[in-house]
Amino acid sequence: MARIPKVAVIRGDGIGGDVTDAALTITAAALDAVGATGFTCDNIEAGAACFQRTGKDIEPGGEERAGSADAIFLGAIGLPSIRHPDGTEISPHLRLRDRFQLYAGVRPVRAYPNAPQRLADPRAADLDLVIIRESTEGLFYSAAVHDRSPVEGDPAAPSAVSDIMRISADTTRKLHEFAFRLAARRGRRGKRARLTCVDKANVFKSQAFFRSIFDEVSTFHPDIETGYNYVDAMALDMVRQPWEFDVMVMENMFGDILSDLAGGLVGGMGMAACGEIGDDNALFQPAHGSAPDIAGRDMANPLAAILSGAMMLDYLAARCGLPAYEAAAARIEDAITAGFAANELRPMEFGGDMGTIAMTDAVLARLHRTE
Ligand code: ATP
């Protein structure tokens, strides 16, 4: 039964608040344009500034409230100047990923007309791929949440420190299932539906295990064309022939690195949208950080956040039985494509003249024009 979704909103630090405002403005306008009732918001304070002010990285009860919402929207978290005593940055979002098992980090990479294309080959103009980054284990398993890194020698002055690459059967099976379903969905929308397993199976036993589960899951999806690539070769191919790929699935750290590279191919971090999806919860956020160098200066490109907002509408459509939400998501993507084509979107990030507010207004104007 359809119902009004509730979204937990964490504005966070730096440019997080500005790009969150942009995403909420545009998602509300797109829902209005398709005649759908908007979602309600539950604002939760979290991040480095919150930690500095209160000694907690998220307000009391905030995690539980985030977990009871239909989706979480997060601007950006962390400030290099505010750290834990061990030197690590404030990162409650890593805990949210872990607590709600948001294993599938979905990072679409699309070229838009008139946005910078770093590759001269004309095929780069049609770039449209998705990186799925496992987001709860892999080489990030030891980071912040599970501090199980072996330390040799005196903990105060170690002689060696190791981080663990953890690949579990359960999570990997769910991850690959998710990847095959996403590839199939893209196939239904007229795209190529090819899934590549990116790993380092020739060197690490954890990575050979990752690939063996990919093979096992692939037997249930005979319609999806599959392939493999070692992560180092993938980095090369991402620059040499990214148009040969559609959906790519990989462990956490490989995905962290390759998605920044892929974001760079189609402009910069201000274009990099992200959804982190689990079985029962999902968090949407731009893939960029809080960018303190440009915070408070109306310079941030809000499109990564706006596109993450569109992904959230797509997710809420399925979760809450609201097909109009899917239509609103498509409206946003169309408005951004048309806006770039008409040269109405000129973010400062690419040397243009438009800051966060001007960019948001331009997307809004385009949304209204295509009504
Ligand atoms: P994190 O580790 O939290 O992802 P980071 O240290 O990698 O963060 P970002 O905050 O993503 O760094 O910023 C990296 C660079 O990209 C900075 O120079 C920043 O100004 C730029 N940048 C990031 N996001 C945007 C944006 N939305 N618009 C314009 N520039 C951005």
Side-chain angles (χ1 to χ4, degrees):
M1 246 271 281
R3 59 191 169 80
I4 296 176
K6 183 169 79 178
V7 174
V9 177
I10 300 175
R11 297 162 58 84
D13 300 305
I15 63 171
D18 295 344
V19 299
T20 300
D21 286 345
L24 294 178
T25 301
I26 298 299
T27 46
L31 288 169
D32 192 46
V34 299
T37 307
F39 50 80
T40 60
C41 291
D42 179 14
N43 288 299
I44 298 170
E45 200 193 350
C50 172
F51 179 78
Q52 190 175 45
R53 204 173 55 76
T54 67
K56 303 263 181 243
D57 61 10
I58 186 163
E59 67 175 275
E63 282 189 34
E64 291 73 16
R65 273 161 50 208
S68 69
D70 291 298
I72 305 165
F73 189 90
L74 190 150
I77 278 193
L79 290 172
S81 56
I82 303 172
R83 291 173 190 262
H84 291 292
D86 67 0
T88 57
E89 281 195 34
I90 312 303
S91 43
H93 51 306
L94 295 185
R95 221 168 45 243
L96 294 177
R97 271 184 203 160
D98 187 66
R99 176 171 180 155
F100 302 123
Q101 284 299 293
L102 308 176
Y103 53 83
V106 181
R107 298 177 164 208
V109 180
R110 250 194 86 185
Y112 289 93
N114 292 320
Q117 277 154 29
R118 313 290 180 195
L119 303 178
D121 192 301
R123 286 172 289 184
D126 299 319
L127 213 57
D128 179 359
L129 43 89
V130 181
I131 290 179
I132 302 179
R133 163 190 176 184
E134 197 291 316
S135 300
T136 60
E137 48 182 34
L139 196 47
F140 274 67
Y141 187 71
S142 323
V145 187
H146 307 274
D147 192 10
R148 300 199 183 137
S149 317
V151 173
E152 293 169 34
D154 175 1
S159 55
V161 179
S162 310
D163 287 308
I164 294 165
M165 163 102 71
R166 180 173 200 267
I167 302 294
S168 75
D170 276 1
T171 300
T172 308
R173 199 167 284 120
K174 287 199 287 190
L175 176 79
H176 289 322
E177 267 298 342
F178 182 96
F180 275 99
R181 282 201 307 272
L182 187 87
R185 186 170 186 223
R186 282 168 67 84
R188 285 196 297 277
R189 292 179 171 185
K191 296 186 178 153
R192 188 170 167 195
R194 175 165 187 248
L195 178 60
T196 305
C197 179
V198 179
D199 57 45
K200 195 71 185 167
N202 53 337
V203 174
F204 297 110
K205 53 186 186 299
S206 62
Q207 289 294 296
F209 186 53
F210 186 84
R211 185 182 286 202
S212 71
I213 297 174
F214 179 84
D215 288 340
E216 178 194 311
V217 174
S218 78
T219 60
F220 297 102
H221 300 273
D223 299 342
I224 306 293
E225 185 189 341
T226 55
Y228 310 104
N229 217 351
Y230 296 131
V231 63
D232 44 343
M234 191 67 243
L236 178 68
D237 279 342
M238 200 72 100
V239 175
R240 205 172 51 165
Q241 47 174 4
W243 40 84
E244 290 301 323
F245 297 87
D246 181 37
V247 181
M248 287 161 271
V249 61
M250 61 201 79
E251 76 84 32
N252 210 337
M253 186 72 181
F254 296 165
D256 188 33
I257 297 168
L258 289 186
S259 54
D260 272 29
L261 169 54
L265 289 181
V266 294
M269 292 311 290
M271 298 300 294
C274 174
E276 297 177 355
I277 322 268
D279 292 339
D280 302 316
N281 299 80
L283 182 152
F284 298 84
Q285 64 170 124
H288 59 71
S290 62
D293 53 331
I294 55 168
R297 298 165 62 191
D298 188 33
M299 287 175 71
N301 180 358
L303 292 180
I306 292 171
L307 288 165
S308 304
M311 288 174 77
M312 180 173 78
L313 296 185
D314 221 18
Y315 170 82
L316 290 173
R319 178 181 171 110
C320 303
L322 294 163
Y325 272 53
E326 193 178 334
R331 285 266 185 137
I332 294 174
E333 296 196 7
D334 291 348
I336 291 175
T337 307
F340 268 118
N343 211 17
E344 293 162 2
L345 299 177
R346 301 177 304 274
M348 284 181 183
E349 185 185 21
F350 311 155
D353 58 336
M354 296 168 75
T356 316
I357 294 169
M359 284 287 294
T360 310
D361 288 348
V363 177
L364 206 53
R366 204 12 104 167
L367 264 180
H368 289 141
R369 208 159 337 141
T370 48
E371 260 174 46

